[in-house]
Amino acid sequence: MPLTLTPEAVAALAPDPASLKAGQKLTAPGKWPVLAHDGDVVWGEAQGSGTHPYLVAADLRTPDIATKCSCPSRKFPCKHALGLLLLHAAGSGHWQAAAVPEELSKWLEGRQARAEKPRVEPKEADAAQQAKTWAKREKKMGAGLEALELWLADLVREGILAARGRSYVEWDGQAARMVDAQLPGVARLIRQIPDLLHEEDGQALTAHLGHLYLLVRAWQGRDNLSENEHADLLTALGMPLDRAGLTRSDTDDWLVAGSVTEEEGRLTVRRTWLLGDGGEVALLLDFAPQNQPLGAGYPPLHRLSGALSYARSAFAQRAVLEGAVDGGPSALPARAFALADLSRHWAQALALNPWLERVGVLLGPVHFAPGQVCDERGQAAALHSSAPNLWHLRALADTEPAYVFGEWDGVTFLPLTVTPQSEATP
Amino acid sequence: MTLKELAATALRGTARADVPPPPHTPLGEALARLQAETPEATLLARAALSGLHARAGAVMEKAETPPPTTLPPAEKPLPAPLWPLLRQLLNGPAFESALHDLSAREWTLSAAQVLQLYASHPTLATDLWPLLDERGKAVLDAHPLRRAWEKAEAQAQWEARLDALREAREADAGAGAAQTLELWKETDADGRRDLLDILERGILPEDLPLLQHAEKDRSAEVRRRARMLQGHLPGPLQDELLALLPQVVVKKGDKLTFKPFVLPEALGTAKANAYDDSDLHRLLGALPFSLLLKVLDVRGEQLVQAAEKKHWHLGNQLKEQRRRERPQQEAKAPPVLTAGDAAQWFASIQQKGQRDQSTFERFAQHLDPAAELAAPAPLPFTPPETPKTLPRGWSQVEWEQQQKQRHDSHQAEAEAAWRSLTEILRLRREWARILEEFK
């Protein structure tokens, strides 16, 4: 089923508000000498400042919308692609049925081929070779963590106050050593230290150093960990997703409950949260090096049907989705956590996986106050600093109690989607 | 032992401070079991556990506001098929009539819809607020949108009072002047400026008490203008000024020069070193613009230019005086435009290559949406005559290529104008069709 695009869904694909605004400016049909569709592929020519118009296309055959543009923008989708999608969603402009130009057909064929390509089952790896590779890596990681333990002990012996005088180069150098030791997860945590270093009471940094030390100790005692706990440890250390350990979910029907894109060091990371009919939560992660395109992703509050598999974990959350088909727009369901249960849910999750950074939760019925999401009993959770503004949240709730899906990190809640109670699906 | 105490040791360093003993709490008992070989390891292990404990045990805050009262849903929400069209129409010049259609049918918008429109069209704040449904008004009660609307509403009411005052002054000079004085007393400095504008447009001898009263106003600008306006009334002051004017503004051929003079006492004293006040400002401002021209026997533009040359602000003052004296334009009936007019416009773009936005807006607003507009056929390229001297560094071929490119861009611009206009007409047709369905 081709994707039902709405302007809101297109807006959600924008990499940043500036791109969306620029895309909206391009929704004047006068700026498009050609607007055409070839089945579920839309394409057009956008008149830029140069002599030749840019050739822009969007492949809407699958829910993970893909776009292509001949402009030199490093944003993805670029403003031209957003303009094209907005025009298409609004039904504006003179659209003609026309075959895609040759420049685009190669790209489309490639996408088609990749989609149709039968999934190649991972080769039965040579067990001996695999063990050898793992042993080599394990040795490297072990050495890295041993060095980390020493570094942490030195840091605590000298004191955080003394460390405040260190230059950024030193922290970056330590992070780089962790990357060399194939511990990118640890490197990321070390790069966060300078942000916490100048906090007056030092509590956050002390806890952060403890977090790093826990990784060291867990590694030392890894033989006593369960398979799932071991997988969580490896994930926290920065090992890539182990596809061999994926477990197929019982359900194929999901609601895109929201997504958020963030810059993490040199990476752009997108977290897309899915909600199952039974209240299951799944997290899809997309990564792209900075300034590289990140796929357009799934529009929020749309139903999806596809094969979802959870990564191995004591608290299953991260997942991969394949063969997703769009099922049209839908509201959040009315089966949610009460705010009072949020702490317990988080504590349980943390008890299973102490490395967990956040969980996706559906809360409700709630209302919004300045800096807070509140329930009718008068309890409240603090809103994340990058939460949408209060007017926007209250307008979505429309004076009603509302259901809200968002991320909880134990301290703040980041709302991603809101549905008023009367519109929530039963 | 809490994270705070551990942090105090971590700040100073274990070389200088001891790891604090665990407290007698369940957490403390767990921490006590974490005893490593070195104080650093003990501190780090306990920090890990305390950190996890703090993360897991965050206590919920107390809600700062009670839940809002759920209001009844909108009785006449905007029909769903019109919403995407409204958003598109708001991007073009036909938005006013679309918003008018909404209010005429008493359709309302939700807070979320209004915020979306406001985000992309902040200038429409005053038009959007009245369209909000009851829920929306409750949600956005403290939003800047409301303040903007209230301000605009107050301004509109004030304008209506000024219009009524103008009519009253025309109908009965005595009653009109008395009404002006009454309004003067109840309004602020901004309002008084508006009243002085009205007086400048058509001053009445009955306004003299007001002008004398205004000489004691708190605002220096109001006092200055009140003094100057007394010169607009026939009488000894005006006679004195008319006698002085030809000595001050001297005409030599087309050239006007300003000579030094002594400002009559009745006009007060100009502020020293002020860009917007001088003896000349006061003298020229104390006579109606038309009378200045008549006495000096000059054209308006000639006088303005000479004043601008003297000081830019003096020029501006005279321009303002001229504007205020011009009769107010009556609202014009919408122009009748045809597809033929549009075709002519496209042809002119093909020639000039520039699209005039105001003409585009006129067509977009007033052209019959059922009009069939043929796409402008590109004009054939006729190379213009080569100039005798080409721009430096240009060859004949380059120059010809540039002419061709320019011609092509003119044709493309005309086609783009046609596309934009036909799209707006299509939207208006679609809008009208759906409106018909919901009649």
Side-chain angles (χ1 to χ4, degrees), chain B residues 68-137:
Chain B
T69 310
T70 302
L71 296 172
E75 282 176 21
K76 291 180 82 176
L78 176 76
L82 285 173
W83 170 237
L85 277 179
L86 177 68
R87 290 175 56 165
Q88 290 175 62
L89 280 168
L90 250 57
N91 286 330
F95 72 90
E96 271 181 15
S97 64
L99 293 178
H100 178 261
D101 288 337
L102 257 66
S103 48
R105 285 165 177 77
E106 295 174 352
W107 283 329
T108 55
L109 298 172
S110 69
Q113 286 174 322
V114 164
L115 282 183
Q116 263 191 54
L117 297 178
Y118 179 63
S120 46
H121 305 91
T123 52
L124 292 182
T126 52
D127 301 287
L128 293 173
W129 178 266
L131 295 172
L132 268 171
D133 59 27
E134 204 186 335
R135 285 179 165 196
K137 283 186 176 153

Side-chain angles (χ1 to χ4, degrees), chain A residues 305-387:
Chain A
S305 163
L308 185 132
S309 306
Y310 280 106
R312 192 178 282 159
S313 169
F315 181 79
Q317 188 166 258
R318 179 156 184 208
V320 289
L321 181 68
E322 285 175 322
V325 178
D326 185 64
S330 177
L332 288 173
R335 297 179 302 279
F337 274 104
L339 204 52
D341 297 331
L342 185 58
S343 294
R344 189 166 44 82
H345 175 63
W346 172 245
Q348 283 170 352
L350 221 49
L352 292 169
N353 178 3
W355 327 114
L356 206 60
E357 293 186 2
R358 57 184 73 81
V359 288
V361 280
L362 176 62
L363 294 178
V366 295
H367 66 275
F368 298 98
Q372 290 183 325
V373 54
C374 321
D375 68 7
E376 54 197 1
R377 287 194 242 162
Q379 284 197 313
L383 286 176
H384 195 273
S385 58
S386 52

Side-chain angles (χ1 to χ4, degrees), chain A residues 146-158:
Chain A
E146 214 171 289
L148 176 70
E149 189 178 10
L150 273 175
W151 182 78
L152 284 171
D154 286 348
L155 191 62
V156 170
R157 191 179 308 110
E158 285 172 29

Side-chain angles (χ1 to χ4, degrees), chain A residues 31 94 109 164 189 235 288 320 346:
Chain A
K31 292 179 175 160
H94 300 269
E109 279 163 17
R164 284 180 184 167
L189 291 173
T235 305
V320 289
W346 172 245

Side-chain angles (χ1 to χ4, degrees), chain A residues 8-174:
Chain A
E8 289 76 20
V10 176
L13 303 177
D16 53 53
S19 299
L20 178 62
K21 210 158 194 177
Q24 280 166 339
K25 280 185 189 164
L26 286 169
T27 52
K31 292 179 175 160
W32 295 83
V34 177
L35 282 172
H37 61 88
D38 184 359
D40 291 319
V41 176
V42 290
W43 63 278
E45 287 179 4
Q47 192 58 59
S49 49
T51 321
H52 301 292
Y54 296 120
L55 189 58
V56 198
D59 184 358
L60 308 179
R61 293 174 298 182
T62 54
D64 57 331
I65 305 161
T67 61
K68 189 166 176 67
C69 182
S70 58
C71 78
S73 170
R74 287 177 169 183
K75 290 190 177 172
F76 203 81
C78 67
K79 62 179 181 178
H80 306 105
L82 287 169
L84 180 78
L85 287 169
L86 284 169
L87 278 170
H88 176 71
S92 295
H94 300 269
W95 291 84
Q96 46 184 309
V100 289
E102 208 182 315
E103 294 97 311
L104 294 172
S105 50
K106 233 179 200 172
W107 168 67
L108 288 166
E109 279 163 17
R111 278 184 55 76
Q112 182 81 22
R114 279 193 295 280
E116 286 171 0
K117 201 171 168 185
R119 199 169 124 60
V120 182
E121 291 303 321
K123 273 188 204 167
E124 275 300 318
D126 176 353
Q129 181 60 37
Q130 214 173 23
K132 204 173 158 189
T133 311
W134 172 242
K136 208 171 158 190
R137 178 163 189 169
E138 204 176 24
K139 198 175 162 191
K140 222 175 192 181
M141 288 165 77
L145 287 165
E146 214 171 289
L148 176 70
E149 189 178 10
L150 273 175
W151 182 78
L152 284 171
D154 286 348
L155 191 62
V156 170
R157 191 179 308 110
E158 285 172 29
I160 295 169
L161 288 174
R164 284 180 184 167
R166 292 191 190 179
S167 74
Y168 277 86
V169 180
E170 285 189 50
W171 306 107
D172 283 343
Q174 184 60 28

